[in-house]
Each structure stands twice: as structure tokens, then as C-alpha cells.
């Protein structure tokens, strides 16, 4: 609410707008103000938390997908179950590889707007290709087992977390 000033100072009795404060002045004692990192701080952060190549993640997914396919074939004794699980893994890896390739193109890294647009475009391409591969599965895999294919697909999709957890350990082993 606005206070009405004294009628002598404000004969019309018009309410004055409160003084607008600057956003920095409104920061409370418990809130932190954004401070950009120095070059040295950014370099230390990069060394402490190195980025992981999408190709490493895709390789990990492919390896796990092949292992799931071998396990499905070995446990059931049916070759079609193994091929179904492998196809499910490939329905994750192939679109993911196309997505990674598209994001690493020079056009996608020209400016932030192109990067965001490229991300959404390649994500749609990835999803579309994965859906198309699932629709084509009965024609491509003889005696398709949907449960085996879905197990291959889900396990391959979820292995990203395993690759991210093992990445620092794998780097330490490769240095030794």
C-alpha cells in the first residue's frame, strides 16, 4: 500500500510510488551472489571433473548390449532371444551415435542458439530413429522375442549411469 503524504506537502493527496530498489540490494544475507570463475579456478574444476566423451558412453552401452544378448542366448539356449536382445541394444546405440555425431558438428557449436536448436533437432531425430527401429523389428529379426528385445533396450539405456560411475576408475587404471 502507498502512503498518502501530508496534504501540505502533497496538496492533491496523490500517493507516491515506493522507491524501486536495485536487485543486488535485495539479496538477503543467506543468498550467494554469482561470481564468475577465474581462468585458474575453471582449469582446476575441469581437472577435478573431466568431461566424458559421448563415444565412451556409447561404447559402454554397446559392450553391455552385446553381453546382454550373449546372456539371453546362453540362458535360454535360443538364438532368436539373443538376436532380439542385441537388436534392442542397437535400437539405443545407433540413434545415440547419430545424436552424438550431430551434436559434435561445427554447425551445432557456432553459437548458443544454433547449439540449442541442434540439440532439439538431433534429439527428435534420435527418438524418431529409435521408434522406427522398434516398428521394423518384427521384419528384421526372425522369431522376434519382444521381452528379450525390451530387456536389451532397457539395460543398454540404463548402463549410462554405470559408465559414468566407472569412468574415473577406468582413467586411473589407464594412467598406471
Amino acid at each position: 500500500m502507498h502512503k498518502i503524504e501530508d496534504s501540505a506537502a502533497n496538496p492533491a493527496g496523490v500517493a507516491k510510488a515506493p522507491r524501486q530498489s536495485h536487485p543486488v540490494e535485495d539479496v538477503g544475507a543467506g543468498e550467494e551472489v554469482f561470481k564468475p570463475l577465474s581462468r585458474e579456478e575453471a582449469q582446476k574444476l575441469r581437472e577435478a571433473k573431466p568431461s566424458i566423451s559421448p563415444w565412451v558412453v556409447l561404447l559402454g552401452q554397446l559392450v553391455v548390449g552385446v553381453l546382454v544378448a550373449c546372456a539371453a542366448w546362453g540362458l535360454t539356449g535360443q538364438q532368436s532371444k539373443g538376436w532380439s536382445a542385441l537388436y534392442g541394444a542397437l535400437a539405443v546405440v545407433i540413434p545415440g551415435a547419430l545424436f552424438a555425431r550431430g551434436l559434435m558438428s561445427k554447425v551445432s557449436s557456432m553459437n548458443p542458439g544454433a547449439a540449442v536448436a541442434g540439440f532439439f533437432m538431433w534429439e527428435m531425430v534420435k527418438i524418431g530413429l529409435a521408434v522406427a527401429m522398434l516398428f521394423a523389428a518384427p521384419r528384421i529379426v526372425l522369431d522376434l522375442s519382444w521381452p528379450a528385445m525390451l530387456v536389451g533396450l532397457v539395460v543398454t539405456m540404463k548402463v549410462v549411469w554405470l559408465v559414468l560411475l566407472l569412468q574415473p576408475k577406468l582413467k586411473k587404471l589407464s594412467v598406471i
Side-chain angles (χ1 to χ4, degrees), residues 15-64:
K16 285 188 169 182
R19 180 180 162 269
Q20 296 293 323
S21 63
H22 192 271
V24 175
E25 294 173 3
D26 290 340
V27 175
E31 296 180 36
E32 293 182 28
V33 178
F34 175 76
K35 178 188 164 268
L37 296 176
S38 68
R39 182 179 292 256
E40 295 80 26
E41 291 171 329
Q43 184 62 32
K44 285 180 187 176
L45 183 63
R46 280 189 206 104
E47 289 170 3
K49 306 240 183 232
S51 63
I52 298 173
S53 169
W55 303 111
V56 171
V57 174
L58 287 166
L59 180 64
Q61 287 181 316
L62 183 62
V63 167
V64 168

Side-chain angles (χ1 to χ4, degrees), residues 87 91 127-140 144 146 149:
Y87 189 83
I127 292 170
L129 179 58
V131 169
M133 287 181 73
L134 293 177
F135 273 111
R139 292 182 187 92
I140 295 173
L144 177 70
W146 282 96
M149 185 186 73

Side-chain angles (χ1 to χ4, degrees), residues 2-19:
H2 300 292
K3 249 173 43 174
I4 297 180
E5 299 291 326
D6 181 2
S7 60
N10 189 359
V14 177
K16 285 188 169 182
R19 180 180 162 269

Side-chain angles (χ1 to χ4, degrees), residues 60-158:
Q61 287 181 316
L62 183 62
V63 167
V64 168
V66 169
L67 291 174
V68 167
C70 290
W73 188 349
L75 291 173
T76 63
Q78 296 177 359
Q79 187 178 5
S80 65
K81 303 271 197 253
W83 286 115
S84 298
L86 181 62
Y87 189 83
L90 292 177
V92 172
V93 174
I94 292 172
L98 185 64
F99 176 73
R101 175 67 183 102
L103 285 184
M104 296 201 158
S105 71
K106 290 186 180 193
V107 174
S108 292
S109 61
M110 288 175 66
N111 65 47
V116 170
F119 175 84
F120 285 113
M121 182 195 73
W122 286 108
E123 183 66 23
M124 286 189 295
V125 168
K126 180 179 92 169
I127 292 170
L129 179 58
V131 169
M133 287 181 73
L134 293 177
F135 273 111
R139 292 182 187 92
I140 295 173
V141 180
L142 299 174
D143 196 25
L144 177 70
S145 168
W146 282 96
M149 185 186 73
L150 291 175
V151 166
L153 182 126
V154 170
V155 170
T156 303
M157 202 181 312
K158 296 301 179 184

